[in-house]
Amino acid sequence: MTLDTMEGLLQALRRLRVETGGMACLGCGHEHDCGVHGCAIIRKAVERLSGMEWICAERELPVNDGDVLLLVSGKPTENLTLYHAFQLGSYSTKEGWIIDEWPEWDAPDVSHWMPLPELPDEVKII
């Protein structure tokens, strides 16, 4: 296992969050939330980083009609070819992949997708 990849780092953090206990965290200011569940900081890091992984579109599809970040290739128009371009889009069980910038694109080749992060509290739409 390597810590150079997101998956390797997440695996190490998942193991560590249980093994550390409260004693390893003395002085961090979060000891009150550790105990038998492991270090509060490491648990929070795993929670935040878990949604930041690219997901293979052949193995798993996003929630129906939910906005996601995509890696997409193909020809959205006759005179434009994209190779692993970052695009915003969604997946519909009825229509397939829908690319926001190219809604008329019939057959985008989506290799991977990633959930979008939450908006900051100060800019959330009411």
Side-chain angles (χ1 to χ4, degrees):
M1 174 185 53
T2 176
L3 298 181
D4 295 330
T5 66
M6 181 68 83
E7 184 56 34
L9 181 59
L10 286 171
Q11 286 177 1
L13 283 170
R14 284 185 186 110
R15 262 199 335 274
L16 188 58
R17 72 177 177 193
V18 175
E19 294 172 357
T20 58
M23 296 306 288
C25 298
L26 290 177
C28 73
H30 297 278
E31 304 85 36
H32 64 281
D33 195 25
C34 294
V36 297
H37 299 292
C39 176
I41 294 171
I42 293 174
R43 286 195 333 264
K44 189 64 168 177
V46 169
E47 179 184 314
R48 296 288 305 268
L49 290 172
S50 290
M52 308 244 352
E53 302 172 76
W54 287 105
I55 300 165
C56 178
E58 290 182 0
R59 285 191 233 138
E60 184 179 343
L61 295 172
V63 174
N64 200 30
D65 297 327
D67 291 329
V68 292
L69 179 62
L70 305 169
L71 278 179
V72 62
S73 299
K75 294 181 72 69
T77 66
E78 186 177 321
N79 59 349
L80 178 66
T81 302
L82 301 177
Y83 296 102
H84 303 294
F86 294 105
Q87 295 286 317
L88 293 176
S90 60
Y91 183 81
S92 166
T93 52
K94 290 183 179 181
E95 299 179 43
W97 291 106
I98 302 165
I99 312 302
D100 290 358
E101 192 172 345
W102 311 98
E104 302 301 319
W105 192 354
D106 287 331
D109 179 15
V110 175
S111 64
H112 292 80
W113 62 275
M114 177 187 297
L116 295 175
E118 294 288 324
L119 289 173
D121 289 337
E122 60 270 13
V123 296
K124 286 194 176 180
I125 301 168
I126 298 175

